Amino acid sequence: MARRCVCQICKAKGNTDTFYKVTDQNGKNKYYCNMEEYERFIKEKLKRDNLFKFISEEVFEYDPGQIIPPVMVKSINDLHTFYDYEVIQECFNVCQSDIKYWLNAKNFCSEYHMVRYVMKIIESNINDVYKKWRYKQKQKIEEENNVLDFGIINEMEKVTPNSNSNNKGNILDFLDEEDI
């Protein structure tokens, strides 16, 4: 018997028979609209965790367990409204040497000012990184489509017409003896 449930991501209402069920580590069942939505959610969460780990360890060189300033988290979430986490991480990777230089060269009076300075560096470069990332994504899609097209072409080459088949529908059937 189906019970009512709510999607953990989009808050859509449904029932336990139609929604995708996941049991967490505490044994509690959580429901999602479908498996694809759940997998997208997990993939985004993994990208986000990788980004924050990269910022913490590689850019700021924090010790394990040290938290990223909340202002940085909010700024990244604001950027994520349009840009993918991969783009943001690539931008941090591209600007890493500039960020490290300015963190060592300037004396910031607070961590807030340091984070705002770093985010201005990122915001000034993210559009260029986004264009390159989008171009790479289009290239991947075209490559995948080309692979499929070659598969279809290979299938077509394998098919050969049978010469022993009945000549039904041949043009010679429509011609009279005097036309030949």
Side-chain angles (χ1 to χ4, degrees):
M1 180 164 186
R3 293 183 8 211
R4 289 187 194 198
C5 62
V6 177
C7 177
Q8 296 292 310
I9 299 169
C10 65
K11 305 301 181 200
K13 295 182 180 181
N15 62 48
T16 56
D17 287 343
T18 59
F19 275 32
Y20 180 70
K21 178 177 104 173
V22 176
T23 305
D24 65 3
Q25 62 269 17
N26 298 330
K28 187 174 181 181
N29 293 335
K30 295 188 177 192
Y31 293 93
Y32 301 91
C33 290
N34 52 41
M35 188 170 140
E36 292 81 22
E37 184 178 19
Y38 172 71
E39 288 174 353
R40 255 191 330 269
F41 171 73
I42 294 299
K43 189 176 177 184
E44 281 293 311
K45 186 176 176 185
L46 183 64
K47 286 182 194 177
R48 184 176 191 269
D49 292 343
N50 288 338
L51 171 64
F52 285 130
K53 184 178 180 183
F54 178 79
I55 292 170
S56 175
E57 293 176 358
E58 301 295 324
V59 177
F60 290 136
E61 297 176 352
Y62 284 163
D63 294 330
Q66 206 171 358
I67 64 167
I68 296 175
V71 174
M72 172 76 69
V73 175
K74 184 181 182 320
S75 298
I76 290 173
N77 287 338
D78 289 343
L79 281 177
H80 181 62
T81 56
F82 181 77
Y83 302 104
D84 191 68
Y85 285 123
E86 288 178 10
V87 175
I88 299 169
Q89 184 167 351
E90 183 63 27
C91 191
F92 269 99
N93 195 24
V94 168
C95 300
Q96 184 174 359
S97 61
D98 292 340
I99 292 170
K100 284 186 177 185
Y101 172 79
W102 288 110
L103 289 178
N104 292 328
K106 289 183 81 77
N107 290 325
F108 295 102
C109 60
S110 70
E111 202 166 78
Y112 174 80
H113 291 112
M114 177 193 67
V115 168
R116 292 307 310 148
Y117 198 88
V118 168
M119 289 310 296
K120 284 300 174 187
I121 293 171
I122 296 299
E123 289 168 4
S124 65
N125 291 299
I126 198 159
N127 284 330
D128 296 330
V129 173
Y130 175 71
K131 287 177 186 175
K132 291 176 186 175
W133 178 81
R134 190 174 63 189
Y135 178 75
K136 287 179 185 176
Q137 295 297 320
K138 286 181 181 178
Q139 292 292 70
K140 283 182 186 177
I141 291 171
E142 287 178 11
E143 285 177 14
E144 289 173 1
N145 289 342
N146 287 341
V147 169
L148 292 176
D149 291 342
F150 288 131
I152 293 171
I153 291 170
N154 290 338
E155 292 272 331
M156 290 173 59
E157 289 175 359
K158 291 178 184 176
V159 176
T160 57
N162 190 356
S163 61
N164 296 334
S165 64
N166 191 0
N167 287 337
K168 242 182 183 180
N170 194 344
I171 192 139
L172 293 175
D173 292 343
F174 295 104
L175 299 176
D176 294 330
E177 288 181 15
E178 52 193 50
D179 291 335
I180 298 179

